[in-house]
Amino acid sequence: AQSVTQLDSQVPVFEEAPVELRCNYSSSVSVYLFWYVQYPNQGLQLLLKYLSGSTLVESINGFEAEFNKSQTSFHLRKPSVHISDTAEYFCAVSERGSEKLVFGKGTKLTVNP
Amino acid sequence: DVKVTQSSRYLVKRTGEKVFLECVQDMDHENMFWYRQDPGLGLRLIYFSYDVKMKEKGDIPEGYSVSREKKERFSLILESASTNQTSMYLCASRSPGDYEQYFGPGTRLTVT
């Protein structure tokens, strides 16, 4: 069965510092990978996704994630964070052919001034 | 623009009450989902539906049921609410050809 591990439950950083939020998954078949973001008191929004093709995917607000099949990872990175990036980030995986998403437990990113 | 709405943002109910949480999507999506979100546990799938009147249990269906009489509406029912069902409930929908799920704003349910 597929599963997702987010290695850090909380990540505090200072504004303009780089950040990496780690995500590893396990699955016996090909997968699609997602990062969702949840701002306080809101639902989840898709940040970026990997379906096929280039293993490096980018979002419109400067985040990027790289699919590494050999390490079964999909880490999220940003070279310089802003206060407004403070949110909870969820990694999710879907096996090809499945309707379901399996989520990690989330990482709370707090950006301090 | 994609839209998933949930009937209430906040709800307070008493133990033993029957509770209905409603979700509506305007994207003509076949698939709809109900999750609960708890601190430190992430999102866990309660039920999902892949078509009208079709449903499947997710990972934690105990204590819940669902109804999908129309394509755009998916209801989560707590037959007899208990305090351990206090949680944030999130609804989502997607089209079979698109692996992205679109989420509503959530309903924070408190059972006292």
Side-chain angles (χ1 to χ4, degrees), chain B residues 18-54:
Chain B
K18 190 168 186 175
V19 181
F20 292 87
L21 303 183
E22 305 285 342
C23 175
V24 178
Q25 50 96 2
D26 65 356
M27 298 162 284
D28 202 36
H29 284 168
E30 284 84 356
N31 298 351
M32 296 187 74
F33 306 82
W34 275 107
Y35 296 89
R36 71 176 275 176
Q37 181 183 9
D38 300 288
L41 297 179
L43 276 75
R44 293 178 292 167
L45 181 64
I46 304 171
Y47 268 97
F48 71 100
S49 168
Y50 47 91
D51 205 346
V52 175
K53 296 191 187 294
M54 308 298 279

PDB file of all heavy atoms in Angstrom, chain B residues 18-54:
ATOM      1  N   LYS B  18     -27.811  13.985  14.965  1.00  0.00           N
ATOM      2  CA  LYS B  18     -27.523  13.613  13.577  1.00  0.00           C
ATOM      3  C   LYS B  18     -27.025  14.868  12.875  1.00  0.00           C
ATOM      4  O   LYS B  18     -27.644  15.927  12.974  1.00  0.00           O
ATOM      5  CB  LYS B  18     -28.777  13.073  12.900  1.00  0.00           C
ATOM      6  CG  LYS B  18     -28.522  12.450  11.534  1.00  0.00           C
ATOM      7  CD  LYS B  18     -29.752  11.681  11.051  1.00  0.00           C
ATOM      8  CE  LYS B  18     -29.466  10.926   9.754  1.00  0.00           C
ATOM      9  NZ  LYS B  18     -30.601  10.085   9.326  1.00  0.00           N
ATOM     10  N   VAL B  19     -25.896  14.739  12.186  1.00  0.00           N
ATOM     11  CA  VAL B  19     -25.257  15.905  11.584  1.00  0.00           C
ATOM     12  C   VAL B  19     -25.099  15.688  10.078  1.00  0.00           C
ATOM     13  O   VAL B  19     -24.684  14.614   9.642  1.00  0.00           O
ATOM     14  CB  VAL B  19     -23.865  16.150  12.209  1.00  0.00           C
ATOM     15  CG1 VAL B  19     -23.207  17.388  11.592  1.00  0.00           C
ATOM     16  CG2 VAL B  19     -23.968  16.303  13.723  1.00  0.00           C
ATOM     17  N   PHE B  20     -25.436  16.711   9.308  1.00  0.00           N
ATOM     18  CA  PHE B  20     -25.271  16.677   7.862  1.00  0.00           C
ATOM     19  C   PHE B  20     -24.250  17.732   7.460  1.00  0.00           C
ATOM     20  O   PHE B  20     -24.411  18.908   7.780  1.00  0.00           O
ATOM     21  CB  PHE B  20     -26.597  16.977   7.152  1.00  0.00           C
ATOM     22  CG  PHE B  20     -27.639  15.924   7.324  1.00  0.00           C
ATOM     23  CD1 PHE B  20     -28.498  15.950   8.416  1.00  0.00           C
ATOM     24  CD2 PHE B  20     -27.792  14.918   6.389  1.00  0.00           C
ATOM     25  CE1 PHE B  20     -29.467  14.977   8.590  1.00  0.00           C
ATOM     26  CE2 PHE B  20     -28.764  13.945   6.545  1.00  0.00           C
ATOM     27  CZ  PHE B  20     -29.599  13.964   7.644  1.00  0.00           C
ATOM     28  N   LEU B  21     -23.235  17.321   6.730  1.00  0.00           N
ATOM     29  CA  LEU B  21     -22.295  18.263   6.136  1.00  0.00           C
ATOM     30  C   LEU B  21     -22.472  18.187   4.626  1.00  0.00           C
ATOM     31  O   LEU B  21     -22.411  17.094   4.047  1.00  0.00           O
ATOM     32  CB  LEU B  21     -20.853  17.912   6.514  1.00  0.00           C
ATOM     33  CG  LEU B  21     -20.532  17.844   8.009  1.00  0.00           C
ATOM     34  CD1 LEU B  21     -19.051  17.563   8.214  1.00  0.00           C
ATOM     35  CD2 LEU B  21     -20.931  19.128   8.721  1.00  0.00           C
ATOM     36  N   GLU B  22     -22.704  19.350   4.017  1.00  0.00           N
ATOM     37  CA  GLU B  22     -23.004  19.382   2.584  1.00  0.00           C
ATOM     38  C   GLU B  22     -21.835  19.952   1.804  1.00  0.00           C
ATOM     39  O   GLU B  22     -21.166  20.889   2.241  1.00  0.00           O
ATOM     40  CB  GLU B  22     -24.242  20.256   2.341  1.00  0.00           C
ATOM     41  CG  GLU B  22     -25.469  19.859   3.128  1.00  0.00           C
ATOM     42  CD  GLU B  22     -26.139  18.621   2.574  1.00  0.00           C
ATOM     43  OE1 GLU B  22     -25.872  18.273   1.394  1.00  0.00           O
ATOM     44  OE2 GLU B  22     -26.905  17.984   3.294  1.00  0.00           O
ATOM     45  N   CYS B  23     -21.644  19.415   0.627  1.00  0.00           N
ATOM     46  CA  CYS B  23     -20.584  19.880  -0.272  1.00  0.00           C
ATOM     47  C   CYS B  23     -21.161  19.980  -1.676  1.00  0.00           C
ATOM     48  O   CYS B  23     -21.829  19.046  -2.145  1.00  0.00           O
ATOM     49  CB  CYS B  23     -19.424  18.899  -0.248  1.00  0.00           C
ATOM     50  SG  CYS B  23     -18.103  19.264  -1.424  1.00  0.00           S
ATOM     51  N   VAL B  24     -20.897  21.079  -2.344  1.00  0.00           N
ATOM     52  CA  VAL B  24     -21.372  21.293  -3.708  1.00  0.00           C
ATOM     53  C   VAL B  24     -20.213  21.745  -4.582  1.00  0.00           C
ATOM     54  O   VAL B  24     -19.450  22.623  -4.185  1.00  0.00           O
ATOM     55  CB  VAL B  24     -22.497  22.345  -3.741  1.00  0.00           C
ATOM     56  CG1 VAL B  24     -22.947  22.608  -5.179  1.00  0.00           C
ATOM     57  CG2 VAL B  24     -23.678  21.908  -2.890  1.00  0.00           C
ATOM     58  N   GLN B  25     -20.125  21.136  -5.774  1.00  0.00           N
ATOM     59  CA  GLN B  25     -19.097  21.560  -6.735  1.00  0.00           C
ATOM     60  C   GLN B  25     -19.780  21.947  -8.046  1.00  0.00           C
ATOM     61  O   GLN B  25     -20.793  21.368  -8.416  1.00  0.00           O
ATOM     62  CB  GLN B  25     -18.045  20.464  -6.954  1.00  0.00           C
ATOM     63  CG  GLN B  25     -18.592  19.085  -7.255  1.00  0.00           C
ATOM     64  CD  GLN B  25     -18.673  18.738  -8.723  1.00  0.00           C
ATOM     65  OE1 GLN B  25     -18.281  19.504  -9.607  1.00  0.00           O
ATOM     66  NE2 GLN B  25     -19.174  17.526  -9.008  1.00  0.00           N
ATOM     67  N   ASP B  26     -19.171  22.932  -8.723  1.00  0.00           N
ATOM     68  CA  ASP B  26     -19.797  23.442  -9.948  1.00  0.00           C
ATOM     69  C   ASP B  26     -18.981  23.090 -11.179  1.00  0.00           C
ATOM     70  O   ASP B  26     -19.075  23.762 -12.210  1.00  0.00           O
ATOM     71  CB  ASP B  26     -19.999  24.956  -9.834  1.00  0.00           C
ATOM     72  CG  ASP B  26     -18.680  25.728  -9.758  1.00  0.00           C
ATOM     73  OD1 ASP B  26     -17.617  25.093  -9.724  1.00  0.00           O
ATOM     74  OD2 ASP B  26     -18.728  26.967  -9.719  1.00  0.00           O
ATOM     75  N   MET B  27     -18.173  22.036 -11.103  1.00  0.00           N
ATOM     76  CA  MET B  27     -17.252  21.709 -12.181  1.00  0.00           C
ATOM     77  C   MET B  27     -17.664  20.474 -12.962  1.00  0.00           C
ATOM     78  O   MET B  27     -16.900  19.984 -13.786  1.00  0.00           O
ATOM     79  CB  MET B  27     -15.843  21.520 -11.598  1.00  0.00           C
ATOM     80  CG  MET B  27     -15.310  22.772 -10.950  1.00  0.00           C
ATOM     81  SD  MET B  27     -13.936  22.431  -9.850  1.00  0.00           S
ATOM     82  CE  MET B  27     -14.792  21.746  -8.441  1.00  0.00           C
ATOM     83  N   ASP B  28     -18.846  19.920 -12.647  1.00  0.00           N
ATOM     84  CA  ASP B  28     -19.321  18.711 -13.320  1.00  0.00           C
ATOM     85  C   ASP B  28     -18.361  17.523 -13.110  1.00  0.00           C
ATOM     86  O   ASP B  28     -18.198  16.669 -13.983  1.00  0.00           O
ATOM     87  CB  ASP B  28     -19.514  18.974 -14.823  1.00  0.00           C
ATOM     88  CG  ASP B  28     -20.484  17.977 -15.454  1.00  0.00           C
ATOM     89  OD1 ASP B  28     -21.455  17.586 -14.773  1.00  0.00           O
ATOM     90  OD2 ASP B  28     -20.267  17.574 -16.613  1.00  0.00           O
ATOM     91  N   HIS B  29     -17.726  17.480 -11.951  1.00  0.00           N
ATOM     92  CA  HIS B  29     -16.789  16.398 -11.656  1.00  0.00           C
ATOM     93  C   HIS B  29     -17.527  15.134 -11.243  1.00  0.00           C
ATOM     94  O   HIS B  29     -18.503  15.187 -10.493  1.00  0.00           O
ATOM     95  CB  HIS B  29     -15.846  16.816 -10.524  1.00  0.00           C
ATOM     96  CG  HIS B  29     -14.787  17.760 -10.959  1.00  0.00           C
ATOM     97  ND1 HIS B  29     -13.995  18.450 -10.053  1.00  0.00           N
ATOM     98  CD2 HIS B  29     -14.358  18.141 -12.190  1.00  0.00           C
ATOM     99  CE1 HIS B  29     -13.128  19.201 -10.715  1.00  0.00           C
ATOM    100  NE2 HIS B  29     -13.340  19.031 -12.007  1.00  0.00           N
ATOM    101  N   GLU B  30     -17.015  13.985 -11.704  1.00  0.00           N
ATOM    102  CA  GLU B  30     -17.607  12.710 -11.319  1.00  0.00           C
ATOM    103  C   GLU B  30     -17.206  12.308  -9.901  1.00  0.00           C
ATOM    104  O   GLU B  30     -17.986  11.733  -9.163  1.00  0.00           O
ATOM    105  CB  GLU B  30     -17.176  11.596 -12.283  1.00  0.00           C
ATOM    106  CG  GLU B  30     -17.863  11.613 -13.633  1.00  0.00           C
ATOM    107  CD  GLU B  30     -17.215  12.557 -14.627  1.00  0.00           C
ATOM    108  OE1 GLU B  30     -16.256  13.273 -14.247  1.00  0.00           O
ATOM    109  OE2 GLU B  30     -17.661  12.596 -15.779  1.00  0.00           O
ATOM    110  N   ASN B  31     -15.963  12.576  -9.544  1.00  0.00           N
ATOM    111  CA  ASN B  31     -15.437  12.074  -8.263  1.00  0.00           C
ATOM    112  C   ASN B  31     -15.528  13.129  -7.172  1.00  0.00           C
ATOM    113  O   ASN B  31     -15.146  14.284  -7.382  1.00  0.00           O
ATOM    114  CB  ASN B  31     -13.962  11.678  -8.425  1.00  0.00           C
ATOM    115  CG  ASN B  31     -13.757  10.552  -9.420  1.00  0.00           C
ATOM    116  OD1 ASN B  31     -14.706   9.950  -9.883  1.00  0.00           O
ATOM    117  ND2 ASN B  31     -12.529  10.268  -9.738  1.00  0.00           N
ATOM    118  N   MET B  32     -16.013  12.709  -6.011  1.00  0.00           N
ATOM    119  CA  MET B  32     -16.039  13.604  -4.854  1.00  0.00           C
ATOM    120  C   MET B  32     -15.568  12.841  -3.627  1.00  0.00           C
ATOM    121  O   MET B  32     -15.712  11.621  -3.541  1.00  0.00           O
ATOM    122  CB  MET B  32     -17.443  14.184  -4.637  1.00  0.00           C
ATOM    123  CG  MET B  32     -17.893  15.078  -5.800  1.00  0.00           C
ATOM    124  SD  MET B  32     -19.441  15.931  -5.503  1.00  0.00           S
ATOM    125  CE  MET B  32     -18.934  17.201  -4.333  1.00  0.00           C
ATOM    126  N   PHE B  33     -14.997  13.582  -2.664  1.00  0.00           N
ATOM    127  CA  PHE B  33     -14.305  12.988  -1.522  1.00  0.00           C
ATOM    128  C   PHE B  33     -14.652  13.735  -0.239  1.00  0.00           C
ATOM    129  O   PHE B  33     -14.828  14.947  -0.251  1.00  0.00           O
ATOM    130  CB  PHE B  33     -12.785  13.081  -1.723  1.00  0.00           C
ATOM    131  CG  PHE B  33     -12.284  12.506  -3.024  1.00  0.00           C
ATOM    132  CD1 PHE B  33     -12.341  13.253  -4.191  1.00  0.00           C
ATOM    133  CD2 PHE B  33     -11.758  11.228  -3.073  1.00  0.00           C
ATOM    134  CE1 PHE B  33     -11.888  12.733  -5.397  1.00  0.00           C
ATOM    135  CE2 PHE B  33     -11.299  10.698  -4.277  1.00  0.00           C
ATOM    136  CZ  PHE B  33     -11.362  11.452  -5.435  1.00  0.00           C
ATOM    137  N   TRP B  34     -14.678  12.997   0.860  1.00  0.00           N
ATOM    138  CA  TRP B  34     -14.728  13.597   2.184  1.00  0.00           C
ATOM    139  C   TRP B  34     -13.509  13.140   2.990  1.00  0.00           C
ATOM    140  O   TRP B  34     -13.216  11.939   3.073  1.00  0.00           O
ATOM    141  CB  TRP B  34     -15.990  13.198   2.943  1.00  0.00           C
ATOM    142  CG  TRP B  34     -17.174  14.052   2.640  1.00  0.00           C
ATOM    143  CD1 TRP B  34     -18.264  13.732   1.912  1.00  0.00           C
ATOM    144  CD2 TRP B  34     -17.381  15.395   3.099  1.00  0.00           C
ATOM    145  NE1 TRP B  34     -19.134  14.780   1.859  1.00  0.00           N
ATOM    146  CE2 TRP B  34     -18.627  15.817   2.590  1.00  0.00           C
ATOM    147  CE3 TRP B  34     -16.642  16.280   3.889  1.00  0.00           C
ATOM    148  CZ2 TRP B  34     -19.153  17.080   2.844  1.00  0.00           C
ATOM    149  CZ3 TRP B  34     -17.167  17.540   4.141  1.00  0.00           C
ATOM    150  CH2 TRP B  34     -18.404  17.922   3.620  1.00  0.00           C
ATOM    151  N   TYR B  35     -12.816  14.132   3.569  1.00  0.00           N
ATOM    152  CA  TYR B  35     -11.669  13.881   4.432  1.00  0.00           C
ATOM    153  C   TYR B  35     -11.944  14.499   5.802  1.00  0.00           C
ATOM    154  O   TYR B  35     -12.676  15.468   5.925  1.00  0.00           O
ATOM    155  CB  TYR B  35     -10.410  14.565   3.890  1.00  0.00           C
ATOM    156  CG  TYR B  35      -9.918  14.083   2.555  1.00  0.00           C
ATOM    157  CD1 TYR B  35     -10.376  14.664   1.370  1.00  0.00           C
ATOM    158  CD2 TYR B  35      -8.965  13.080   2.467  1.00  0.00           C
ATOM    159  CE1 TYR B  35      -9.888  14.245   0.140  1.00  0.00           C
ATOM    160  CE2 TYR B  35      -8.467  12.654   1.238  1.00  0.00           C
ATOM    161  CZ  TYR B  35      -8.947  13.245   0.085  1.00  0.00           C
ATOM    162  OH  TYR B  35      -8.457  12.830  -1.132  1.00  0.00           O
ATOM    163  N   ARG B  36     -11.256  13.964   6.805  1.00  0.00           N
ATOM    164  CA  ARG B  36     -11.148  14.701   8.046  1.00  0.00           C
ATOM    165  C   ARG B  36      -9.677  15.010   8.294  1.00  0.00           C
ATOM    166  O   ARG B  36      -8.790  14.224   7.917  1.00  0.00           O
ATOM    167  CB  ARG B  36     -11.807  14.000   9.230  1.00  0.00           C
ATOM    168  CG  ARG B  36     -11.167  12.776   9.767  1.00  0.00           C
ATOM    169  CD  ARG B  36     -11.890  12.244  11.014  1.00  0.00           C
ATOM    170  NE  ARG B  36     -11.457  12.892  12.245  1.00  0.00           N
ATOM    171  CZ  ARG B  36     -11.982  12.672  13.440  1.00  0.00           C
ATOM    172  NH1 ARG B  36     -13.010  11.828  13.569  1.00  0.00           N
ATOM    173  NH2 ARG B  36     -11.535  13.272  14.523  1.00  0.00           N
ATOM    174  N   GLN B  37      -9.459  16.203   8.869  1.00  0.00           N
ATOM    175  CA  GLN B  37      -8.111  16.685   9.120  1.00  0.00           C
ATOM    176  C   GLN B  37      -7.942  16.919  10.601  1.00  0.00           C
ATOM    177  O   GLN B  37      -8.691  17.690  11.210  1.00  0.00           O
ATOM    178  CB  GLN B  37      -7.852  17.991   8.354  1.00  0.00           C
ATOM    179  CG  GLN B  37      -6.459  18.534   8.558  1.00  0.00           C
ATOM    180  CD  GLN B  37      -6.235  19.851   7.855  1.00  0.00           C
ATOM    181  OE1 GLN B  37      -7.148  20.475   7.334  1.00  0.00           O
ATOM    182  NE2 GLN B  37      -4.988  20.296   7.818  1.00  0.00           N
ATOM    183  N   ASP B  38      -6.952  16.256  11.192  1.00  0.00           N
ATOM    184  CA  ASP B  38      -6.648  16.409  12.612  1.00  0.00           C
ATOM    185  C   ASP B  38      -5.180  16.749  12.776  1.00  0.00           C
ATOM    186  O   ASP B  38      -4.333  16.238  12.018  1.00  0.00           O
ATOM    187  CB  ASP B  38      -6.980  15.126  13.373  1.00  0.00           C
ATOM    188  CG  ASP B  38      -8.448  14.755  13.249  1.00  0.00           C
ATOM    189  OD1 ASP B  38      -9.260  15.473  13.869  1.00  0.00           O
ATOM    190  OD2 ASP B  38      -8.789  13.796  12.534  1.00  0.00           O
ATOM    191  N   PRO B  39      -4.855  17.597  13.748  1.00  0.00           N
ATOM    192  CA  PRO B  39      -3.448  17.995  13.937  1.00  0.00           C
ATOM    193  C   PRO B  39      -2.538  16.789  14.092  1.00  0.00           C
ATOM    194  O   PRO B  39      -2.813  15.878  14.870  1.00  0.00           O
ATOM    195  CB  PRO B  39      -3.510  18.819  15.226  1.00  0.00           C
ATOM    196  CG  PRO B  39      -4.907  19.324  15.291  1.00  0.00           C
ATOM    197  CD  PRO B  39      -5.755  18.238  14.706  1.00  0.00           C
ATOM    198  N   GLY B  40      -1.455  16.799  13.321  1.00  0.00           N
ATOM    199  CA  GLY B  40      -0.481  15.721  13.421  1.00  0.00           C
ATOM    200  C   GLY B  40      -0.850  14.450  12.679  1.00  0.00           C
ATOM    201  O   GLY B  40      -0.042  13.522  12.595  1.00  0.00           O
ATOM    202  N   LEU B  41      -2.066  14.408  12.129  1.00  0.00           N
ATOM    203  CA  LEU B  41      -2.506  13.203  11.413  1.00  0.00           C
ATOM    204  C   LEU B  41      -2.721  13.454   9.924  1.00  0.00           C
ATOM    205  O   LEU B  41      -2.964  12.508   9.166  1.00  0.00           O
ATOM    206  CB  LEU B  41      -3.802  12.660  12.022  1.00  0.00           C
ATOM    207  CG  LEU B  41      -3.709  12.184  13.465  1.00  0.00           C
ATOM    208  CD1 LEU B  41      -5.075  11.686  13.947  1.00  0.00           C
ATOM    209  CD2 LEU B  41      -2.670  11.076  13.614  1.00  0.00           C
ATOM    210  N   GLY B  42      -2.660  14.703   9.501  1.00  0.00           N
ATOM    211  CA  GLY B  42      -2.873  15.013   8.100  1.00  0.00           C
ATOM    212  C   GLY B  42      -4.320  14.828   7.701  1.00  0.00           C
ATOM    213  O   GLY B  42      -5.233  14.947   8.519  1.00  0.00           O
ATOM    214  N   LEU B  43      -4.545  14.516   6.434  1.00  0.00           N
ATOM    215  CA  LEU B  43      -5.886  14.272   5.922  1.00  0.00           C
ATOM    216  C   LEU B  43      -6.113  12.771   5.788  1.00  0.00           C
ATOM    217  O   LEU B  43      -5.280  12.059   5.245  1.00  0.00           O
ATOM    218  CB  LEU B  43      -6.058  14.914   4.535  1.00  0.00           C
ATOM    219  CG  LEU B  43      -6.421  16.373   4.494  1.00  0.00           C
ATOM    220  CD1 LEU B  43      -5.229  17.241   4.837  1.00  0.00           C
ATOM    221  CD2 LEU B  43      -6.955  16.747   3.118  1.00  0.00           C
ATOM    222  N   ARG B  44      -7.247  12.334   6.271  1.00  0.00           N
ATOM    223  CA  ARG B  44      -7.606  10.925   6.147  1.00  0.00           C
ATOM    224  C   ARG B  44      -8.943  10.817   5.413  1.00  0.00           C
ATOM    225  O   ARG B  44      -9.888  11.527   5.727  1.00  0.00           O
ATOM    226  CB  ARG B  44      -7.691  10.288   7.538  1.00  0.00           C
ATOM    227  CG  ARG B  44      -6.339  10.203   8.249  1.00  0.00           C
ATOM    228  CD  ARG B  44      -6.482   9.615   9.643  1.00  0.00           C
ATOM    229  NE  ARG B  44      -7.196  10.507  10.541  1.00  0.00           N
ATOM    230  CZ  ARG B  44      -7.662  10.147  11.726  1.00  0.00           C
ATOM    231  NH1 ARG B  44      -7.514   8.901  12.151  1.00  0.00           N
ATOM    232  NH2 ARG B  44      -8.294  11.031  12.491  1.00  0.00           N
ATOM    233  N   LEU B  45      -8.982   9.893   4.460  1.00  0.00           N
ATOM    234  CA  LEU B  45     -10.154   9.749   3.609  1.00  0.00           C
ATOM    235  C   LEU B  45     -11.255   8.986   4.341  1.00  0.00           C
ATOM    236  O   LEU B  45     -11.039   7.878   4.846  1.00  0.00           O
ATOM    237  CB  LEU B  45      -9.765   9.013   2.325  1.00  0.00           C
ATOM    238  CG  LEU B  45     -10.864   8.803   1.298  1.00  0.00           C
ATOM    239  CD1 LEU B  45     -11.358  10.144   0.745  1.00  0.00           C
ATOM    240  CD2 LEU B  45     -10.351   7.923   0.153  1.00  0.00           C
ATOM    241  N   ILE B  46     -12.457   9.580   4.368  1.00  0.00           N
ATOM    242  CA  ILE B  46     -13.594   8.952   5.033  1.00  0.00           C
ATOM    243  C   ILE B  46     -14.387   8.119   4.016  1.00  0.00           C
ATOM    244  O   ILE B  46     -14.598   6.921   4.182  1.00  0.00           O
ATOM    245  CB  ILE B  46     -14.510  10.004   5.671  1.00  0.00           C
ATOM    246  CG1 ILE B  46     -13.729  10.890   6.647  1.00  0.00           C
ATOM    247  CG2 ILE B  46     -15.669   9.335   6.402  1.00  0.00           C
ATOM    248  CD1 ILE B  46     -14.519  12.091   7.154  1.00  0.00           C
ATOM    249  N   TYR B  47     -14.862   8.779   2.966  1.00  0.00           N
ATOM    250  CA  TYR B  47     -15.607   8.148   1.879  1.00  0.00           C
ATOM    251  C   TYR B  47     -15.299   8.881   0.593  1.00  0.00           C
ATOM    252  O   TYR B  47     -14.957  10.053   0.609  1.00  0.00           O
ATOM    253  CB  TYR B  47     -17.121   8.263   2.114  1.00  0.00           C
ATOM    254  CG  TYR B  47     -17.765   7.113   2.842  1.00  0.00           C
ATOM    255  CD1 TYR B  47     -17.988   7.189   4.207  1.00  0.00           C
ATOM    256  CD2 TYR B  47     -18.187   5.976   2.157  1.00  0.00           C
ATOM    257  CE1 TYR B  47     -18.598   6.144   4.896  1.00  0.00           C
ATOM    258  CE2 TYR B  47     -18.810   4.912   2.836  1.00  0.00           C
ATOM    259  CZ  TYR B  47     -19.000   5.018   4.199  1.00  0.00           C
ATOM    260  OH  TYR B  47     -19.615   3.992   4.865  1.00  0.00           O
ATOM    261  N   PHE B  48     -15.499   8.202  -0.513  1.00  0.00           N
ATOM    262  CA  PHE B  48     -15.505   8.903  -1.780  1.00  0.00           C
ATOM    263  C   PHE B  48     -16.584   8.339  -2.687  1.00  0.00           C
ATOM    264  O   PHE B  48     -17.099   7.238  -2.461  1.00  0.00           O
ATOM    265  CB  PHE B  48     -14.126   8.926  -2.440  1.00  0.00           C
ATOM    266  CG  PHE B  48     -13.664   7.607  -2.991  1.00  0.00           C
ATOM    267  CD1 PHE B  48     -13.770   7.337  -4.348  1.00  0.00           C
ATOM    268  CD2 PHE B  48     -13.063   6.665  -2.170  1.00  0.00           C
ATOM    269  CE1 PHE B  48     -13.306   6.147  -4.861  1.00  0.00           C
ATOM    270  CE2 PHE B  48     -12.604   5.472  -2.683  1.00  0.00           C
ATOM    271  CZ  PHE B  48     -12.731   5.204  -4.034  1.00  0.00           C
ATOM    272  N   SER B  49     -16.903   9.105  -3.705  1.00  0.00           N
ATOM    273  CA  SER B  49     -17.951   8.729  -4.650  1.00  0.00           C
ATOM    274  C   SER B  49     -17.431   8.959  -6.055  1.00  0.00           C
ATOM    275  O   SER B  49     -16.878  10.022  -6.349  1.00  0.00           O
ATOM    276  CB  SER B  49     -19.194   9.590  -4.417  1.00  0.00           C
ATOM    277  OG  SER B  49     -20.113   9.446  -5.482  1.00  0.00           O
ATOM    278  N   TYR B  50     -17.591   7.968  -6.924  1.00  0.00           N
ATOM    279  CA  TYR B  50     -17.101   8.122  -8.289  1.00  0.00           C
ATOM    280  C   TYR B  50     -18.235   8.351  -9.284  1.00  0.00           C
ATOM    281  O   TYR B  50     -17.998   8.470 -10.481  1.00  0.00           O
ATOM    282  CB  TYR B  50     -16.223   6.937  -8.702  1.00  0.00           C
ATOM    283  CG  TYR B  50     -16.796   5.587  -8.377  1.00  0.00           C
ATOM    284  CD1 TYR B  50     -17.590   4.909  -9.293  1.00  0.00           C
ATOM    285  CD2 TYR B  50     -16.528   4.989  -7.158  1.00  0.00           C
ATOM    286  CE1 TYR B  50     -18.113   3.679  -8.995  1.00  0.00           C
ATOM    287  CE2 TYR B  50     -17.053   3.740  -6.854  1.00  0.00           C
ATOM    288  CZ  TYR B  50     -17.840   3.093  -7.778  1.00  0.00           C
ATOM    289  OH  TYR B  50     -18.354   1.876  -7.479  1.00  0.00           O
ATOM    290  N   ASP B  51     -19.468   8.394  -8.785  1.00  0.00           N
ATOM    291  CA  ASP B  51     -20.600   8.726  -9.647  1.00  0.00           C
ATOM    292  C   ASP B  51     -21.829   8.884  -8.758  1.00  0.00           C
ATOM    293  O   ASP B  51     -21.803   8.510  -7.581  1.00  0.00           O
ATOM    294  CB  ASP B  51     -20.823   7.622 -10.691  1.00  0.00           C
ATOM    295  CG  ASP B  51     -21.536   8.128 -11.938  1.00  0.00           C
ATOM    296  OD1 ASP B  51     -22.092   9.241 -11.892  1.00  0.00           O
ATOM    297  OD2 ASP B  51     -21.539   7.401 -12.950  1.00  0.00           O
ATOM    298  N   VAL B  52     -22.891   9.377  -9.337  1.00  0.00           N
ATOM    299  CA  VAL B  52     -24.138   9.523  -8.584  1.00  0.00           C
ATOM    300  C   VAL B  52     -24.557   8.158  -8.027  1.00  0.00           C
ATOM    301  O   VAL B  52     -24.498   7.139  -8.715  1.00  0.00           O
ATOM    302  CB  VAL B  52     -25.245  10.089  -9.495  1.00  0.00           C
ATOM    303  CG1 VAL B  52     -26.580  10.129  -8.764  1.00  0.00           C
ATOM    304  CG2 VAL B  52     -24.874  11.475  -9.962  1.00  0.00           C
ATOM    305  N   LYS B  53     -24.936   8.158  -6.773  1.00  0.00           N
ATOM    306  CA  LYS B  53     -25.390   6.980  -6.048  1.00  0.00           C
ATOM    307  C   LYS B  53     -24.309   5.913  -5.856  1.00  0.00           C
ATOM    308  O   LYS B  53     -24.594   4.828  -5.344  1.00  0.00           O
ATOM    309  CB  LYS B  53     -26.621   6.342  -6.724  1.00  0.00           C
ATOM    310  CG  LYS B  53     -27.843   7.256  -6.729  1.00  0.00           C
ATOM    311  CD  LYS B  53     -29.083   6.514  -7.155  1.00  0.00           C
ATOM    312  CE  LYS B  53     -30.268   7.444  -7.323  1.00  0.00           C
ATOM    313  NZ  LYS B  53     -30.683   8.048  -6.042  1.00  0.00           N
ATOM    314  N   MET B  54     -23.083   6.202  -6.235  1.00  0.00           N
ATOM    315  CA  MET B  54     -21.979   5.259  -6.044  1.00  0.00           C
ATOM    316  C   MET B  54     -21.071   5.795  -4.952  1.00  0.00           C
ATOM    317  O   MET B  54     -20.765   6.997  -4.921  1.00  0.00           O
ATOM    318  CB  MET B  54     -21.189   5.086  -7.338  1.00  0.00           C
ATOM    319  CG  MET B  54     -22.023   4.737  -8.539  1.00  0.00           C
ATOM    320  SD  MET B  54     -22.896   3.175  -8.365  1.00  0.00           S
ATOM    321  CE  MET B  54     -21.601   2.033  -8.775  1.00  0.00           C
TER     322      MET B  54
END
